[in-house]
Amino acid sequence: MRIPRSAIALFCTALQICFGTVYAWSFFQTILVRQIGWTHTETAWAFSIAIFTLGVSAAWAGNMLPKMGPRKLALIGSFMFACGYLVSGLALQLDSIPLFYLGYGVIGGAGIGLGYVTPVATVAKWFPDRKGLATGIVVMGFGVGAFLLSKGLAPFLIVRTAGALPEVFIWLGIIFALILIPCSLALSDPPPDSTGPSTTATADPDEADEPKYARSYLGTTQFVFMWIVFFFNIAAGISVVSFQSEILQEIWGLADDSIEPTTLAEYGATLIAVSSICNGLGRLFWGLLSDRFGRVTIFRVLLGSQMVVFGILMTETNPWVFSALVCYVLLCFGGGFATMPSFVLDVFGTKKMSTIYGAVLTAWAAAGIFGPLYVGYLKDVYPDRAVMYCFLIGILMLGAGYLFSYLLNDGRIRLGRPTLETTLQRYGIAVPGRG
């Protein structure tokens, strides 16, 4: 029985929503510090390890997807993601930070990375006639996943378990397994005659490159500058993602010291939910703008406008204004993820897309280590001035990214001019006159 391609799109979106719940980390960040007694730096390590492992495993998955197929890769990723929560629950029960790092950070993060590239690549194959819309919806699902966790599952489970964090994490693992595994089983590549209108196009001579030759492009200055710009945009945004709930609770507490801690926690969860929606919408909004105005221009707007916003956030004490500005930061954070795939496609071509983009995602891994950790360190060492210092460092990162963006261009890059000899050698054909 053939599965309708609309159902495939639904399954792919469900996968991304579940994996995207990792961006609700700041919901647990505050609770772990207050209830378990871990420091800000210790808890931040869990999120950093998860994002680092996510980026590295996503790069690997981009190369393995054609060999393993979407169903197998999605199943492995889903199983690991669910197991990560189960191991994390056991770690909390034993009060073991290393085990928590292993569960939430390594196992869970690798699961997300393996599953992240699969839904996007799969839905693009099923919708060649509406590739931009289909992939945009699926990628948006990853951005809004934090809404599901911060305003739905997590608060519900905390109430049902009377605040027992080990049970909350175990139940999350079970629930995610029940959703992810059936969706993964439904994934498959489309048969040749089921993908709608033909999308034939004039062949690009450079597109004859086999994927293995894409690795030679990783040493080009264009790739390096793209990686650097992507890194700075992610590092600035993910530093806000990792602590947005706690910072907002502190600001509300300063504005009105009569607010109860439970109410503050609800305010923080609401910010996570709303900002996650902005993260998702940014992936559609900025992606559409980049089609019209160019990828480099949009990256400059993302980085430059955030520098102004971070400057205001350094001293902003109004919780409503602070929340609105954080939502804009998340809008730009999602915009970077929407613009970069098309940027890679424009510069390096279709055949090299999966390999190059997978390598670019290692910037996500590096930013996941740097961003949350410097915030956690500052909150432990300089608790009274941490917020100002965090946003100041963010301005410096965004400024560096903005400067590097002037070394980028949207033009297609090719390594040298192909000759008859190099073309024959590339495909294993003997060159006349050579043994």
Side-chain angles (χ1 to χ4, degrees):
M1 178 175 132
R2 179 176 296 179
I3 300 177
R5 64 177 186 162
S6 58
I8 294 292
L10 179 63
F11 294 139
C12 289
T13 304
L15 286 170
Q16 289 288 66
I17 290 174
C18 290
F19 291 136
T21 56
V22 69
Y23 282 148
W25 166 254
S26 63
F27 180 92
F28 294 115
Q29 171 79 26
T30 305
I31 299 175
L32 289 170
V33 171
R34 292 177 180 174
Q35 293 189 12
I36 307 299
W38 296 345
T39 67
H40 292 287
T41 304
E42 288 172 338
T43 50
W45 263 112
F47 183 65
S48 290
I49 293 172
I51 299 300
F52 176 81
T53 311
L54 187 168
V56 173
S57 58
W60 180 83
N63 285 321
M64 295 303 297
L65 181 59
K67 301 176 183 178
M68 299 179 63
R71 181 179 295 128
K72 183 180 293 185
L73 202 58
L75 271 174
I76 296 173
S78 299
F79 179 76
M80 293 182 68
F81 181 67
C83 285
Y85 272 99
L86 297 178
V87 174
S88 298
L90 176 62
L92 292 174
Q93 187 69 42
L94 300 175
D95 192 16
S96 172
I97 294 180
L99 187 59
F100 190 81
Y101 292 162
L102 174 65
Y104 189 89
V106 178
I107 299 176
I112 300 172
L114 296 180
Y116 179 80
V117 297
T118 306
V120 178
T122 301
V123 79
K125 294 177 183 178
W126 280 90
F127 290 84
D129 53 326
R130 298 178 181 176
K131 185 180 297 184
L133 176 63
T135 56
I137 292 173
V138 170
V139 171
M140 185 177 67
F142 193 90
V144 302
F147 179 89
L148 169 68
L149 192 61
S150 63
K151 295 300 287 184
L153 277 177
F156 172 78
L157 291 174
I158 285 177
V159 172
R160 296 290 295 180
T161 61
L165 281 181
E167 295 181 30
V168 170
F169 274 76
I170 290 172
W171 273 111
L172 284 173
I174 295 172
I175 292 170
F176 285 136
L178 293 175
I179 297 173
L180 289 169
I181 292 178
C183 290
S184 300
L185 289 171
L187 295 191
S188 65
D189 286 327
D193 60 342
S194 67
T195 55
S198 174
T199 56
T200 57
T202 303
D204 184 342
D206 189 53
E207 290 303 287
D209 285 348
E210 295 290 340
K212 65 180 181 180
Y213 291 99
R215 299 186 185 94
S216 60
Y217 286 77
L218 299 182
T220 61
T221 55
Q222 184 75 339
F223 171 81
V224 173
F225 294 147
M226 290 171 70
W227 191 99
I228 292 174
V229 170
F230 197 42
F231 166 81
F232 282 125
N233 188 68
I234 296 174
I238 210 166
S239 65
V240 176
V241 169
S242 62
F243 281 87
Q244 58 178 319
S245 174
E246 185 171 355
I247 294 176
L248 179 65
Q249 291 180 52
E250 292 177 359
I251 292 177
W252 268 112
L254 292 173
D256 186 354
D257 57 9
S258 65
I259 301 178
E260 297 293 328
T262 53
T263 304
L264 291 176
E266 291 177 3
Y267 289 167
T270 300
L271 177 59
I272 295 173
V274 176
S275 66
S276 71
I277 294 175
C278 292
N279 183 3
L281 292 177
R283 296 170 188 244
L284 284 178
F285 174 72
W286 293 110
L288 291 174
L289 287 182
S290 72
D291 287 337
R292 181 169 183 177
F293 299 105
R295 322 302 177 190
V296 176
T297 299
I298 292 303
F299 264 112
R300 288 174 187 165
V301 172
L302 293 174
L303 295 162
S305 61
Q306 284 183 93
M307 289 175 64
V308 177
V309 170
F310 271 56
I312 300 173
L313 285 170
M314 285 179 62
T315 57
E316 184 57 57
T317 57
N318 185 305
W320 294 104
V321 175
F322 178 88
S323 299
L325 294 175
V326 166
C327 287
Y328 179 78
V329 171
L330 269 292
L331 192 78
C332 294
F333 180 76
F337 281 97
T339 306
M340 185 54 73
S342 300
F343 196 6
V344 172
L345 187 63
D346 292 344
V347 174
F348 296 100
T350 305
K351 294 295 184 181
K352 297 180 284 294
M353 166 66 180
S354 61
T355 301
I356 300 296
Y357 184 57
V360 169
L361 287 178
T362 59
W364 192 5
I369 289 289
F370 180 74
L373 285 183
Y374 87 77
V375 178
Y377 172 80
L378 290 174
K379 288 185 69 63
D380 285 333
V381 179
Y382 306 103
D384 297 332
R385 292 169 289 173
V387 173
M388 183 177 67
Y389 289 164
C390 289
F391 289 121
L392 176 59
I393 294 175
I395 292 173
L396 296 176
M397 290 190 296
L398 292 166
Y402 184 80
L403 292 176
F404 273 102
S405 71
Y406 281 91
L407 300 175
L408 295 175
N409 62 76
D410 292 313
R412 176 67 63 84
I413 183 173
R414 294 180 174 88
L415 295 181
R417 183 183 299 274
T419 64
L420 175 61
E421 179 176 332
T422 57
T423 302
L424 292 175
Q425 289 177 338
R426 175 175 295 173
Y427 294 100
I429 302 174
V431 180
R434 296 200 177 184

mmCIF file of all heavy atoms in Angstrom, residues 375-400:
data_model
loop_
_atom_site.group_PDB
_atom_site.id
_atom_site.type_symbol
_atom_site.label_atom_id
_atom_site.label_comp_id
_atom_site.label_asym_id
_atom_site.label_seq_id
_atom_site.Cartn_x
_atom_site.Cartn_y
_atom_site.Cartn_z
ATOM 1 N N VAL A 375 27.939 31.621 29.084
ATOM 2 C CA VAL A 375 26.857 32.196 29.881
ATOM 3 C C VAL A 375 26.821 31.560 31.267
ATOM 4 O O VAL A 375 26.699 32.251 32.290
ATOM 5 C CB VAL A 375 25.498 32.029 29.177
ATOM 6 C CG1 VAL A 375 24.375 32.588 30.054
ATOM 7 C CG2 VAL A 375 25.498 32.720 27.828
ATOM 8 N N GLY A 376 26.930 30.228 31.319
ATOM 9 C CA GLY A 376 26.935 29.542 32.609
ATOM 10 C C GLY A 376 28.098 29.966 33.490
ATOM 11 O O GLY A 376 27.938 30.173 34.705
ATOM 12 N N TYR A 377 29.260 30.124 32.883
ATOM 13 C CA TYR A 377 30.438 30.553 33.640
ATOM 14 C C TYR A 377 30.233 31.956 34.221
ATOM 15 O O TYR A 377 30.520 32.205 35.398
ATOM 16 C CB TYR A 377 31.667 30.532 32.736
ATOM 17 C CG TYR A 377 32.900 31.150 33.372
ATOM 18 C CD1 TYR A 377 33.664 30.430 34.284
ATOM 19 C CD2 TYR A 377 33.281 32.458 33.057
ATOM 20 C CE1 TYR A 377 34.792 31.000 34.868
ATOM 21 C CE2 TYR A 377 34.400 33.030 33.633
ATOM 22 C CZ TYR A 377 35.150 32.298 34.540
ATOM 23 O OH TYR A 377 36.250 32.865 35.131
ATOM 24 N N LEU A 378 29.725 32.866 33.415
ATOM 25 C CA LEU A 378 29.526 34.236 33.887
ATOM 26 C C LEU A 378 28.476 34.300 34.996
ATOM 27 O O LEU A 378 28.618 35.084 35.939
ATOM 28 C CB LEU A 378 29.110 35.133 32.716
ATOM 29 C CG LEU A 378 30.200 35.412 31.667
ATOM 30 C CD1 LEU A 378 29.619 36.181 30.489
ATOM 31 C CD2 LEU A 378 31.358 36.182 32.281
ATOM 32 N N LYS A 379 27.437 33.459 34.897
ATOM 33 C CA LYS A 379 26.414 33.474 35.934
ATOM 34 C C LYS A 379 26.934 32.897 37.245
ATOM 35 O O LYS A 379 26.465 33.264 38.329
ATOM 36 C CB LYS A 379 25.171 32.714 35.469
ATOM 37 C CG LYS A 379 24.379 33.454 34.392
ATOM 38 C CD LYS A 379 23.095 32.736 34.048
ATOM 39 C CE LYS A 379 22.105 32.803 35.193
ATOM 40 N NZ LYS A 379 21.686 34.187 35.508
ATOM 41 N N ASP A 380 27.885 31.998 37.188
ATOM 42 C CA ASP A 380 28.489 31.456 38.410
ATOM 43 C C ASP A 380 29.500 32.426 39.018
ATOM 44 O O ASP A 380 29.567 32.584 40.242
ATOM 45 C CB ASP A 380 29.174 30.119 38.108
ATOM 46 C CG ASP A 380 28.183 28.978 37.924
ATOM 47 O OD1 ASP A 380 27.084 29.057 38.500
ATOM 48 O OD2 ASP A 380 28.511 28.023 37.205
ATOM 49 N N VAL A 381 30.293 33.078 38.181
ATOM 50 C CA VAL A 381 31.397 33.917 38.669
ATOM 51 C C VAL A 381 30.961 35.364 38.904
ATOM 52 O O VAL A 381 31.391 36.005 39.871
ATOM 53 C CB VAL A 381 32.573 33.865 37.672
ATOM 54 C CG1 VAL A 381 33.719 34.751 38.144
ATOM 55 C CG2 VAL A 381 33.052 32.424 37.504
ATOM 56 N N TYR A 382 30.112 35.887 38.019
ATOM 57 C CA TYR A 382 29.659 37.281 38.139
ATOM 58 C C TYR A 382 28.130 37.322 38.142
ATOM 59 O O TYR A 382 27.508 37.826 37.194
ATOM 60 C CB TYR A 382 30.183 38.128 36.985
ATOM 61 C CG TYR A 382 31.672 38.068 36.796
ATOM 62 C CD1 TYR A 382 32.230 37.311 35.771
ATOM 63 C CD2 TYR A 382 32.530 38.777 37.640
ATOM 64 C CE1 TYR A 382 33.600 37.258 35.591
ATOM 65 C CE2 TYR A 382 33.899 38.732 37.461
ATOM 66 C CZ TYR A 382 34.431 37.959 36.430
ATOM 67 O OH TYR A 382 35.792 37.911 36.267
ATOM 68 N N PRO A 383 27.478 36.798 39.160
ATOM 69 C CA PRO A 383 26.012 36.687 39.146
ATOM 70 C C PRO A 383 25.295 38.024 38.992
ATOM 71 O O PRO A 383 24.212 38.086 38.400
ATOM 72 C CB PRO A 383 25.692 36.033 40.497
ATOM 73 C CG PRO A 383 26.888 36.294 41.353
ATOM 74 C CD PRO A 383 28.054 36.312 40.425
ATOM 75 N N ASP A 384 25.876 39.111 39.515
ATOM 76 C CA ASP A 384 25.202 40.408 39.455
ATOM 77 C C ASP A 384 25.367 41.106 38.109
ATOM 78 O O ASP A 384 24.562 41.976 37.758
ATOM 79 C CB ASP A 384 25.738 41.328 40.566
ATOM 80 C CG ASP A 384 25.449 40.791 41.957
ATOM 81 O OD1 ASP A 384 24.439 40.074 42.086
ATOM 82 O OD2 ASP A 384 26.218 41.080 42.884
ATOM 83 N N ARG A 385 26.412 40.781 37.374
ATOM 84 C CA ARG A 385 26.686 41.456 36.102
ATOM 85 C C ARG A 385 26.669 40.498 34.916
ATOM 86 O O ARG A 385 27.050 40.864 33.802
ATOM 87 C CB ARG A 385 28.051 42.133 36.178
ATOM 88 C CG ARG A 385 28.108 43.306 37.147
ATOM 89 C CD ARG A 385 29.539 43.754 37.383
ATOM 90 N NE ARG A 385 30.279 42.771 38.193
ATOM 91 C CZ ARG A 385 31.578 42.846 38.432
ATOM 92 N NH1 ARG A 385 32.296 43.825 37.896
ATOM 93 N NH2 ARG A 385 32.167 41.933 39.184
ATOM 94 N N ALA A 386 26.218 39.262 35.154
ATOM 95 C CA ALA A 386 26.285 38.236 34.108
ATOM 96 C C ALA A 386 25.488 38.616 32.877
ATOM 97 O O ALA A 386 25.942 38.433 31.742
ATOM 98 C CB ALA A 386 25.810 36.897 34.664
ATOM 99 N N VAL A 387 24.276 39.143 33.076
ATOM 100 C CA VAL A 387 23.418 39.462 31.936
ATOM 101 C C VAL A 387 24.089 40.493 31.029
ATOM 102 O O VAL A 387 24.134 40.335 29.800
ATOM 103 C CB VAL A 387 22.047 39.979 32.430
ATOM 104 C CG1 VAL A 387 21.219 40.478 31.249
ATOM 105 C CG2 VAL A 387 21.300 38.877 33.163
ATOM 106 N N MET A 388 24.646 41.567 31.620
ATOM 107 C CA MET A 388 25.296 42.600 30.835
ATOM 108 C C MET A 388 26.503 42.040 30.086
ATOM 109 O O MET A 388 26.695 42.305 28.894
ATOM 110 C CB MET A 388 25.739 43.750 31.740
ATOM 111 C CG MET A 388 26.377 44.911 30.992
ATOM 112 S SD MET A 388 26.820 46.286 32.066
ATOM 113 C CE MET A 388 28.142 45.520 33.034
ATOM 114 N N TYR A 389 27.319 41.229 30.773
ATOM 115 C CA TYR A 389 28.499 40.650 30.134
ATOM 116 C C TYR A 389 28.113 39.696 29.003
ATOM 117 O O TYR A 389 28.768 39.655 27.953
ATOM 118 C CB TYR A 389 29.353 39.920 31.167
ATOM 119 C CG TYR A 389 30.080 40.819 32.141
ATOM 120 C CD1 TYR A 389 30.615 40.316 33.318
ATOM 121 C CD2 TYR A 389 30.244 42.175 31.884
ATOM 122 C CE1 TYR A 389 31.293 41.139 34.220
ATOM 123 C CE2 TYR A 389 30.910 43.008 32.764
ATOM 124 C CZ TYR A 389 31.426 42.483 33.936
ATOM 125 O OH TYR A 389 32.087 43.300 34.808
ATOM 126 N N CYS A 390 27.059 38.911 29.227
ATOM 127 C CA CYS A 390 26.633 37.940 28.209
ATOM 128 C C CYS A 390 26.245 38.635 26.910
ATOM 129 O O CYS A 390 26.658 38.226 25.820
ATOM 130 C CB CYS A 390 25.449 37.123 28.731
ATOM 131 S SG CYS A 390 25.851 35.956 30.041
ATOM 132 N N PHE A 391 25.463 39.683 27.027
ATOM 133 C CA PHE A 391 25.033 40.376 25.815
ATOM 134 C C PHE A 391 26.161 41.182 25.199
ATOM 135 O O PHE A 391 26.184 41.385 23.979
ATOM 136 C CB PHE A 391 23.827 41.256 26.119
ATOM 137 C CG PHE A 391 22.572 40.468 26.392
ATOM 138 C CD1 PHE A 391 21.908 40.589 27.597
ATOM 139 C CD2 PHE A 391 22.067 39.597 25.438
ATOM 140 C CE1 PHE A 391 20.759 39.851 27.853
ATOM 141 C CE2 PHE A 391 20.920 38.856 25.679
ATOM 142 C CZ PHE A 391 20.253 38.988 26.892
ATOM 143 N N LEU A 392 27.103 41.639 26.006
ATOM 144 C CA LEU A 392 28.266 42.334 25.460
ATOM 145 C C LEU A 392 29.104 41.384 24.600
ATOM 146 O O LEU A 392 29.523 41.730 23.487
ATOM 147 C CB LEU A 392 29.119 42.901 26.589
ATOM 148 C CG LEU A 392 30.431 43.588 26.164
ATOM 149 C CD1 LEU A 392 30.153 44.752 25.216
ATOM 150 C CD2 LEU A 392 31.217 44.045 27.384
ATOM 151 N N ILE A 393 29.332 40.172 25.101
ATOM 152 C CA ILE A 393 30.058 39.178 24.311
ATOM 153 C C ILE A 393 29.275 38.834 23.049
ATOM 154 O O ILE A 393 29.842 38.631 21.969
ATOM 155 C CB ILE A 393 30.329 37.917 25.154
ATOM 156 C CG1 ILE A 393 31.282 38.264 26.299
ATOM 157 C CG2 ILE A 393 30.908 36.793 24.291
ATOM 158 C CD1 ILE A 393 31.516 37.121 27.267
ATOM 159 N N GLY A 394 27.942 38.792 23.168
ATOM 160 C CA GLY A 394 27.104 38.538 22.005
ATOM 161 C C GLY A 394 27.282 39.594 20.931
ATOM 162 O O GLY A 394 27.341 39.286 19.735
ATOM 163 N N ILE A 395 27.385 40.863 21.352
ATOM 164 C CA ILE A 395 27.605 41.944 20.393
ATOM 165 C C ILE A 395 28.933 41.760 19.668
ATOM 166 O O ILE A 395 29.031 41.952 18.441
ATOM 167 C CB ILE A 395 27.572 43.306 21.114
ATOM 168 C CG1 ILE A 395 26.162 43.605 21.619
ATOM 169 C CG2 ILE A 395 28.035 44.424 20.181
ATOM 170 C CD1 ILE A 395 26.078 44.850 22.481
ATOM 171 N N LEU A 396 29.967 41.375 20.411
ATOM 172 C CA LEU A 396 31.280 41.170 19.800
ATOM 173 C C LEU A 396 31.242 40.027 18.784
ATOM 174 O O LEU A 396 31.839 40.120 17.699
ATOM 175 C CB LEU A 396 32.317 40.888 20.887
ATOM 176 C CG LEU A 396 32.573 42.031 21.885
ATOM 177 C CD1 LEU A 396 33.547 41.578 22.968
ATOM 178 C CD2 LEU A 396 33.098 43.264 21.169
ATOM 179 N N MET A 397 30.530 38.939 19.124
ATOM 180 C CA MET A 397 30.421 37.810 18.197
ATOM 181 C C MET A 397 29.657 38.206 16.939
ATOM 182 O O MET A 397 30.060 37.894 15.812
ATOM 183 C CB MET A 397 29.746 36.622 18.885
ATOM 184 C CG MET A 397 30.586 35.957 19.953
ATOM 185 S SD MET A 397 29.882 34.393 20.530
ATOM 186 C CE MET A 397 28.343 34.964 21.263
ATOM 187 N N LEU A 398 28.530 38.886 17.121
ATOM 188 C CA LEU A 398 27.735 39.310 15.975
ATOM 189 C C LEU A 398 28.505 40.293 15.103
ATOM 190 O O LEU A 398 28.419 40.247 13.869
ATOM 191 C CB LEU A 398 26.433 39.944 16.464
ATOM 192 C CG LEU A 398 25.444 38.988 17.137
ATOM 193 C CD1 LEU A 398 24.368 39.768 17.890
ATOM 194 C CD2 LEU A 398 24.807 38.061 16.114
ATOM 195 N N GLY A 399 29.292 41.173 15.746
ATOM 196 C CA GLY A 399 30.105 42.118 14.985
ATOM 197 C C GLY A 399 31.158 41.415 14.154
ATOM 198 O O GLY A 399 31.405 41.788 12.992
ATOM 199 N N ALA A 400 31.783 40.389 14.727
ATOM 200 C CA ALA A 400 32.774 39.623 13.975
ATOM 201 C C ALA A 400 32.123 38.919 12.789
ATOM 202 O O ALA A 400 32.658 38.915 11.672
ATOM 203 C CB ALA A 400 33.460 38.605 14.890
#
